[in-house]
Amino acid sequence: AKSKSTNETSLRYTNDNGGSGKLILRLYAQSHLYVPHITDVDVSAGIVAMIHDNTQLPLIDVAGILLEPGRKHKLGYKKKQYKFLPSPYTYCTTDIPRPMRAMFDQYEGADYAYSQGVCYTLCTQAYIYEECGCVNPYEWSARSIVLRGTSKIAEAPLCNLTDLCYPVAGLKITKTSSIWDQYCSHCHQECSTVTFALMKSSIAAPSMPFIYLTKAHVESLSIPLPANWSTNWLSEIQNNYVSLEVVCESNQVENYTEEASVSAVSVLSNVGGHTGLWIGISFLSIMEFIEMLYRLCRYEFHSMKRILMNKFNNNN
């Protein structure tokens, strides 16, 4: 995440000091510590990765990429940036609502920007809280609620997983346009967004020499080993080892900038051009017409003034 205290001199790049320019990660899932204890859902061991801008709160459960164990993955990316015109051309915004600001403050030191997706989550949580007195536990980080009728920010409690109120309320707000407009009408599009076009590839890993290095490393950790490690260590490594390389495929950034097709000057030019073309009116003609009205009004004023003066003199 971008730090609030970040400046140009504090940024570090993967090619600093002769680096390769790649982000290289070698990860081990340790699936035996948690997979056997989860029985109510289908759980698979692996790694979830996401490439995002450092001002964007990573919604990894929505946009994350699943990486299979036993393989060396490569993610090549190209950056794209979209910029939209502000009001009155679009309804885009950069203003961060108070509940979102309170949520971002939980990530100490992070300088996140406005996100429409996060705004939708928070407004949905606000409605669920109104209906149930608690919020969706799966969105545990989005608990900042503005209490109705006040400006106070409150941390809402999480609903029990077995509570049926929060899924019903969440479905109701998404299906009812009047409720959605009441709670989420302020969630406009971002004025600037950054996306990354990804190219994914992978090969089998680790290699046999590296398997023994991985075995020695896993055994050196203080983490308990599986009960059958001595006989099944090879399959355990293949089912838990994930290698990842993240590479920038191009230094060029694709910029898509929205521009007004008709400016204020163009509007005036079009109005003047069409009036001159169809009814023969030009700017000079308009000024002459205004001058004529002025002279007529002035003449009428002086005429009325003379009449009133004559009546006044005759009465005297």
Side-chain angles (χ1 to χ4, degrees), residues 50-66:
M50 178 181 175
I51 298 178
H52 63 95
D53 190 66
N54 62 353
T55 62
Q56 176 188 5
L57 180 68
L59 302 177
I60 198 166
D61 54 335
V62 176
I65 300 173
L66 301 178

Side-chain angles (χ1 to χ4, degrees), residues 162-309:
T162 57
D163 190 349
L164 297 180
C165 181
Y166 73 86
V168 172
L171 181 62
K172 184 177 180 180
I173 186 175
T174 56
K175 295 291 186 180
T176 309
S177 58
S178 59
I179 300 177
W180 181 265
D181 293 339
Q182 179 182 356
Y183 284 84
C184 302
S185 59
H186 62 285
C187 295
H188 300 302
Q189 185 182 29
E190 305 95 331
C191 287
S192 178
T193 59
V194 175
T195 62
F196 295 90
L198 300 180
M199 182 66 70
K200 180 182 176 182
S201 59
S202 66
I203 57 174
S207 61
M208 286 307 299
F210 201 79
I211 282 181
Y212 290 98
L213 294 176
T214 304
K215 177 177 181 291
H217 176 71
V218 173
E219 291 175 344
S220 67
L221 300 175
S222 59
I223 300 174
L225 296 171
N228 57 353
W229 174 262
S230 59
T231 57
N232 291 343
W233 64 268
L234 181 59
S235 62
E236 286 289 337
I237 291 177
Q238 291 174 338
N239 291 333
N240 288 274
Y241 176 85
V242 180
S243 178
L244 173 63
E245 292 185 2
V246 181
V247 184
C248 179
E249 292 186 349
S250 174
N251 291 326
Q252 295 181 344
V253 178
E254 296 184 24
N255 287 297
Y256 299 88
T257 303
E258 187 178 43
E259 296 181 352
S261 59
V262 180
S263 63
V265 175
S266 299
V267 171
L268 292 176
S269 299
N270 290 337
V271 171
H274 284 291
T275 53
L277 177 63
W278 297 108
I279 58 178
I281 296 178
S282 64
F283 181 76
L284 182 60
S285 301
I286 294 175
M287 295 304 297
E288 290 177 346
F289 179 73
I290 294 174
E291 183 184 8
M292 182 187 68
L293 291 177
Y294 168 74
R295 289 181 178 275
L296 288 174
C297 292
R298 183 181 178 185
Y299 174 78
E300 290 295 329
F301 173 77
H302 285 289
S303 298
M304 292 296 297
K305 184 178 179 180
R306 283 196 301 269
I307 293 173
L308 292 175
M309 290 295 294

Side-chain angles (χ1 to χ4, degrees), residues 100-121:
M100 190 181 300
R101 175 62 64 192
M103 176 182 175
F104 289 165
D105 288 342
Q106 298 176 8
Y107 303 91
E108 185 175 356
D111 188 16
Y112 288 127
Y114 168 82
S115 169
Q116 187 181 39
V118 175
C119 186
Y120 284 154
T121 300

Side-chain angles (χ1 to χ4, degrees), residues 9-186:
T9 59
S10 64
L11 295 177
R12 296 293 180 265
Y13 299 90
T14 53
N15 57 358
D16 287 349
N17 302 317
S20 63
K22 300 179 181 179
L23 173 63
I24 301 175
L25 300 174
R26 295 187 179 97
L27 308 170
Y28 196 82
Q30 302 283 5
S31 61
H32 66 283
L33 296 179
Y34 56 90
V35 172
H37 304 286
I38 303 176
T39 58
D40 57 339
V41 292
D42 182 18
V43 178
S44 301
I47 301 297
V48 183
M50 178 181 175
I51 298 178
H52 63 95
D53 190 66
N54 62 353
T55 62
Q56 176 188 5
L57 180 68
L59 302 177
I60 198 166
D61 54 335
V62 176
I65 300 173
L66 301 178
L67 303 179
E68 178 187 1
R71 303 194 70 82
K72 179 180 180 180
H73 300 269
K74 177 185 175 183
L75 296 180
Y77 68 88
K78 295 180 180 179
K79 185 177 180 180
K80 296 182 180 181
Q81 188 167 2
Y82 301 84
K83 294 182 179 179
F84 300 94
L85 289 172
S87 178
Y89 299 98
T90 68
Y91 291 103
C92 75
T93 183
T94 58
D95 296 332
I96 301 178
R98 293 183 66 245
M100 190 181 300
R101 175 62 64 192
M103 176 182 175
F104 289 165
D105 288 342
Q106 298 176 8
Y107 303 91
E108 185 175 356
D111 188 16
Y112 288 127
Y114 168 82
S115 169
Q116 187 181 39
V118 175
C119 186
Y120 284 154
T121 300
L122 287 170
C123 68
T124 302
Q125 291 282 68
Y127 176 73
I128 293 175
Y129 178 74
E130 291 285 341
E131 293 292 307
C132 308
C134 56
V135 294
N136 186 346
Y138 292 103
E139 300 291 349
W140 54 268
S141 62
R143 300 171 58 187
S144 301
I145 304 297
V146 176
L147 299 179
R148 181 182 288 272
T150 69
S151 59
K152 183 180 179 181
I153 297 288
E155 288 295 314
L158 299 177
C159 298
N160 293 325
L161 292 176
T162 57
D163 190 349
L164 297 180
C165 181
Y166 73 86
V168 172
L171 181 62
K172 184 177 180 180
I173 186 175
T174 56
K175 295 291 186 180
T176 309
S177 58
S178 59
I179 300 177
W180 181 265
D181 293 339
Q182 179 182 356
Y183 284 84
C184 302
S185 59
H186 62 285

